[in-house]
Amino acid sequence: MSEGDSVGESVHGKPSVVYRFFTRLGQIYQSWLDKSTPYTAVRWVVTLGLSFVYMIRVYLLQVGGWYIVTYALGIYHLNLFIAFLSPKVDPSLMEDSDDGPSLPTKQNEEFRPFIRRLPEFKFWHAATKGILVAMVCTFFDAFNVPVFWPILVMYFIMLFCITMKRQIKHMIKYRYIPFTHGKRRYRGKEDAGKAFAS
């Protein structure tokens, strides 16, 4: 390879200005993402705010309704939500146990907590990006395809109900709860000793 053949390098072997600009932009973006990680509620409030802004924009345009874009956004969010509710390792594929995952019965057995296929942060990040892409699509008339919107609404409701019914049956069959809110917390020996000492 001669000089300048690798991606982002100029003829003299130094990274090009465009490459450095986008690298720096990516670093700033990742830094903001890292800083936002602990603020779960704030992140979701911002995403809901963006959804509200998107709905207002679609309502104010009212030329064609942007039904296809909104429908695609809804299907995308539904797929993300199903991945968020699903375990990383599907218990139906586990061959060594017909009853699904259970608590350890021996000392050397390991307890495996619920691990999501799509973690909360990635769910939020993908949902927010989806809303922003849908909002950008509303600026281009090519995406404003005229359709009979009640059929799309009915189809989305049917798809949502069927998908959620299947997911809930899966959760009941393999006895897992994807949410930690309201679950009982057990104290170890160290925690119990500290509670009595105070």
mmCIF file of all heavy atoms in Angstrom, residues 31-52:
data_model
loop_
_atom_site.group_PDB
_atom_site.id
_atom_site.type_symbol
_atom_site.label_atom_id
_atom_site.label_comp_id
_atom_site.label_asym_id
_atom_site.label_seq_id
_atom_site.Cartn_x
_atom_site.Cartn_y
_atom_site.Cartn_z
ATOM 1 N N SER A 31 -18.999 11.113 24.706
ATOM 2 C CA SER A 31 -18.825 11.720 26.026
ATOM 3 C C SER A 31 -20.164 12.142 26.622
ATOM 4 O O SER A 31 -20.438 11.906 27.801
ATOM 5 C CB SER A 31 -17.890 12.930 25.912
ATOM 6 O OG SER A 31 -17.861 13.650 27.110
ATOM 7 N N TRP A 32 -21.022 12.742 25.799
ATOM 8 C CA TRP A 32 -22.351 13.139 26.278
ATOM 9 C C TRP A 32 -23.191 11.917 26.613
ATOM 10 O O TRP A 32 -23.954 11.928 27.592
ATOM 11 C CB TRP A 32 -23.054 14.018 25.251
ATOM 12 C CG TRP A 32 -22.593 15.441 25.327
ATOM 13 C CD1 TRP A 32 -21.699 16.063 24.509
ATOM 14 C CD2 TRP A 32 -22.977 16.414 26.301
ATOM 15 N NE1 TRP A 32 -21.507 17.356 24.903
ATOM 16 C CE2 TRP A 32 -22.291 17.608 26.005
ATOM 17 C CE3 TRP A 32 -23.838 16.396 27.402
ATOM 18 C CZ2 TRP A 32 -22.423 18.756 26.766
ATOM 19 C CZ3 TRP A 32 -23.979 17.547 28.149
ATOM 20 C CH2 TRP A 32 -23.280 18.707 27.829
ATOM 21 N N LEU A 33 -23.078 10.867 25.821
ATOM 22 C CA LEU A 33 -23.796 9.625 26.140
ATOM 23 C C LEU A 33 -23.327 9.047 27.471
ATOM 24 O O LEU A 33 -24.137 8.608 28.288
ATOM 25 C CB LEU A 33 -23.591 8.584 25.033
ATOM 26 C CG LEU A 33 -24.417 8.727 23.779
ATOM 27 C CD1 LEU A 33 -24.069 7.603 22.802
ATOM 28 C CD2 LEU A 33 -25.897 8.688 24.084
ATOM 29 N N ASP A 34 -22.016 9.040 27.684
ATOM 30 C CA ASP A 34 -21.469 8.515 28.937
ATOM 31 C C ASP A 34 -21.936 9.330 30.143
ATOM 32 O O ASP A 34 -22.231 8.770 31.197
ATOM 33 C CB ASP A 34 -19.947 8.495 28.887
ATOM 34 C CG ASP A 34 -19.413 7.491 27.871
ATOM 35 O OD1 ASP A 34 -20.176 6.597 27.451
ATOM 36 O OD2 ASP A 34 -18.232 7.619 27.486
ATOM 37 N N LYS A 35 -22.003 10.645 29.964
ATOM 38 C CA LYS A 35 -22.453 11.495 31.071
ATOM 39 C C LYS A 35 -23.939 11.302 31.370
ATOM 40 O O LYS A 35 -24.379 11.492 32.502
ATOM 41 C CB LYS A 35 -22.184 12.966 30.747
ATOM 42 C CG LYS A 35 -20.723 13.342 30.786
ATOM 43 C CD LYS A 35 -20.517 14.785 30.372
ATOM 44 C CE LYS A 35 -19.045 15.111 30.314
ATOM 45 N NZ LYS A 35 -18.791 16.458 29.798
ATOM 46 N N SER A 36 -24.725 10.934 30.368
ATOM 47 C CA SER A 36 -26.171 10.783 30.563
ATOM 48 C C SER A 36 -26.562 9.421 31.118
ATOM 49 O O SER A 36 -27.715 9.227 31.507
ATOM 50 C CB SER A 36 -26.900 11.022 29.241
ATOM 51 O OG SER A 36 -26.690 9.943 28.363
ATOM 52 N N THR A 37 -25.640 8.487 31.181
ATOM 53 C CA THR A 37 -25.964 7.125 31.592
ATOM 54 C C THR A 37 -26.664 7.025 32.941
ATOM 55 O O THR A 37 -27.669 6.332 33.055
ATOM 56 C CB THR A 37 -24.691 6.250 31.569
ATOM 57 O OG1 THR A 37 -24.141 6.286 30.259
ATOM 58 C CG2 THR A 37 -24.993 4.821 31.944
ATOM 59 N N PRO A 38 -26.215 7.687 33.998
ATOM 60 C CA PRO A 38 -26.885 7.495 35.299
ATOM 61 C C PRO A 38 -28.255 8.176 35.411
ATOM 62 O O PRO A 38 -29.014 7.861 36.321
ATOM 63 C CB PRO A 38 -25.911 8.089 36.314
ATOM 64 C CG PRO A 38 -24.935 8.889 35.560
ATOM 65 C CD PRO A 38 -24.999 8.473 34.124
ATOM 66 N N TYR A 39 -28.593 9.055 34.512
ATOM 67 C CA TYR A 39 -29.835 9.833 34.622
ATOM 68 C C TYR A 39 -30.952 9.193 33.797
ATOM 69 O O TYR A 39 -31.393 9.739 32.789
ATOM 70 C CB TYR A 39 -29.587 11.277 34.186
ATOM 71 C CG TYR A 39 -28.470 11.926 34.957
ATOM 72 C CD1 TYR A 39 -27.239 12.149 34.361
ATOM 73 C CD2 TYR A 39 -28.641 12.279 36.290
ATOM 74 C CE1 TYR A 39 -26.208 12.726 35.065
ATOM 75 C CE2 TYR A 39 -27.611 12.856 37.003
ATOM 76 C CZ TYR A 39 -26.394 13.081 36.394
ATOM 77 O OH TYR A 39 -25.374 13.638 37.101
ATOM 78 N N THR A 40 -31.422 8.040 34.248
ATOM 79 C CA THR A 40 -32.417 7.269 33.497
ATOM 80 C C THR A 40 -33.709 8.049 33.300
ATOM 81 O O THR A 40 -34.229 8.147 32.185
ATOM 82 C CB THR A 40 -32.706 5.944 34.224
ATOM 83 O OG1 THR A 40 -31.470 5.275 34.441
ATOM 84 C CG2 THR A 40 -33.613 5.057 33.402
ATOM 85 N N ALA A 41 -34.244 8.608 34.379
ATOM 86 C CA ALA A 41 -35.533 9.309 34.284
ATOM 87 C C ALA A 41 -35.434 10.522 33.364
ATOM 88 O O ALA A 41 -36.326 10.762 32.541
ATOM 89 C CB ALA A 41 -36.002 9.727 35.674
ATOM 90 N N VAL A 42 -34.351 11.265 33.474
ATOM 91 C CA VAL A 42 -34.180 12.467 32.645
ATOM 92 C C VAL A 42 -34.079 12.080 31.172
ATOM 93 O O VAL A 42 -34.684 12.724 30.308
ATOM 94 C CB VAL A 42 -32.921 13.256 33.092
ATOM 95 C CG1 VAL A 42 -32.642 14.422 32.168
ATOM 96 C CG2 VAL A 42 -33.078 13.739 34.521
ATOM 97 N N ARG A 43 -33.346 11.000 30.887
ATOM 98 C CA ARG A 43 -33.210 10.552 29.488
ATOM 99 C C ARG A 43 -34.573 10.212 28.903
ATOM 100 O O ARG A 43 -34.891 10.603 27.784
ATOM 101 C CB ARG A 43 -32.292 9.330 29.405
ATOM 102 C CG ARG A 43 -30.838 9.648 29.605
ATOM 103 C CD ARG A 43 -29.954 8.448 29.321
ATOM 104 N NE ARG A 43 -29.902 7.519 30.446
ATOM 105 C CZ ARG A 43 -30.348 6.269 30.405
ATOM 106 N NH1 ARG A 43 -30.851 5.775 29.308
ATOM 107 N NH2 ARG A 43 -30.265 5.493 31.460
ATOM 108 N N TRP A 44 -35.395 9.473 29.657
ATOM 109 C CA TRP A 44 -36.698 9.068 29.137
ATOM 110 C C TRP A 44 -37.657 10.243 29.030
ATOM 111 O O TRP A 44 -38.499 10.279 28.128
ATOM 112 C CB TRP A 44 -37.281 7.937 29.990
ATOM 113 C CG TRP A 44 -36.641 6.633 29.642
ATOM 114 C CD1 TRP A 44 -35.707 5.959 30.374
ATOM 115 C CD2 TRP A 44 -36.833 5.865 28.465
ATOM 116 N NE1 TRP A 44 -35.319 4.819 29.721
ATOM 117 C CE2 TRP A 44 -36.007 4.726 28.543
ATOM 118 C CE3 TRP A 44 -37.640 6.013 27.338
ATOM 119 C CZ2 TRP A 44 -35.959 3.758 27.550
ATOM 120 C CZ3 TRP A 44 -37.595 5.040 26.348
ATOM 121 C CH2 TRP A 44 -36.765 3.939 26.460
ATOM 122 N N VAL A 45 -37.547 11.219 29.924
ATOM 123 C CA VAL A 45 -38.383 12.418 29.817
ATOM 124 C C VAL A 45 -38.028 13.183 28.541
ATOM 125 O O VAL A 45 -38.919 13.667 27.826
ATOM 126 C CB VAL A 45 -38.237 13.309 31.072
ATOM 127 C CG1 VAL A 45 -38.797 14.692 30.851
ATOM 128 C CG2 VAL A 45 -38.910 12.643 32.267
ATOM 129 N N VAL A 46 -36.746 13.277 28.239
ATOM 130 C CA VAL A 46 -36.317 13.951 27.007
ATOM 131 C C VAL A 46 -36.849 13.194 25.784
ATOM 132 O O VAL A 46 -37.348 13.795 24.824
ATOM 133 C CB VAL A 46 -34.777 14.079 26.962
ATOM 134 C CG1 VAL A 46 -34.296 14.501 25.585
ATOM 135 C CG2 VAL A 46 -34.302 15.058 28.012
ATOM 136 N N THR A 47 -36.797 11.867 25.819
ATOM 137 C CA THR A 47 -37.303 11.067 24.696
ATOM 138 C C THR A 47 -38.808 11.248 24.541
ATOM 139 O O THR A 47 -39.308 11.382 23.418
ATOM 140 C CB THR A 47 -36.947 9.590 24.898
ATOM 141 O OG1 THR A 47 -35.521 9.483 24.962
ATOM 142 C CG2 THR A 47 -37.450 8.740 23.761
ATOM 143 N N LEU A 48 -39.546 11.252 25.650
ATOM 144 C CA LEU A 48 -40.986 11.500 25.571
ATOM 145 C C LEU A 48 -41.277 12.900 25.046
ATOM 146 O O LEU A 48 -42.226 13.106 24.287
ATOM 147 C CB LEU A 48 -41.638 11.290 26.938
ATOM 148 C CG LEU A 48 -41.730 9.844 27.403
ATOM 149 C CD1 LEU A 48 -42.282 9.767 28.821
ATOM 150 C CD2 LEU A 48 -42.580 9.024 26.459
ATOM 151 N N GLY A 49 -40.444 13.868 25.444
ATOM 152 C CA GLY A 49 -40.582 15.226 24.918
ATOM 153 C C GLY A 49 -40.361 15.272 23.410
ATOM 154 O O GLY A 49 -41.093 15.939 22.681
ATOM 155 N N LEU A 50 -39.349 14.534 22.939
ATOM 156 C CA LEU A 50 -39.108 14.459 21.494
ATOM 157 C C LEU A 50 -40.285 13.802 20.771
ATOM 158 O O LEU A 50 -40.666 14.230 19.682
ATOM 159 C CB LEU A 50 -37.830 13.671 21.207
ATOM 160 C CG LEU A 50 -36.519 14.424 21.354
ATOM 161 C CD1 LEU A 50 -35.349 13.464 21.199
ATOM 162 C CD2 LEU A 50 -36.419 15.525 20.329
ATOM 163 N N SER A 51 -40.869 12.771 21.389
ATOM 164 C CA SER A 51 -42.054 12.125 20.799
ATOM 165 C C SER A 51 -43.201 13.119 20.691
ATOM 166 O O SER A 51 -43.909 13.156 19.683
ATOM 167 C CB SER A 51 -42.506 10.940 21.654
ATOM 168 O OG SER A 51 -41.528 9.972 21.708
ATOM 169 N N PHE A 52 -43.380 13.918 21.725
ATOM 170 C CA PHE A 52 -44.438 14.927 21.727
ATOM 171 C C PHE A 52 -44.197 15.969 20.641
ATOM 172 O O PHE A 52 -45.116 16.361 19.921
ATOM 173 C CB PHE A 52 -44.527 15.570 23.113
ATOM 174 C CG PHE A 52 -45.694 16.476 23.288
ATOM 175 C CD1 PHE A 52 -46.989 15.967 23.285
ATOM 176 C CD2 PHE A 52 -45.511 17.835 23.459
ATOM 177 C CE1 PHE A 52 -48.078 16.808 23.441
ATOM 178 C CE2 PHE A 52 -46.587 18.680 23.612
ATOM 179 C CZ PHE A 52 -47.873 18.163 23.603
#
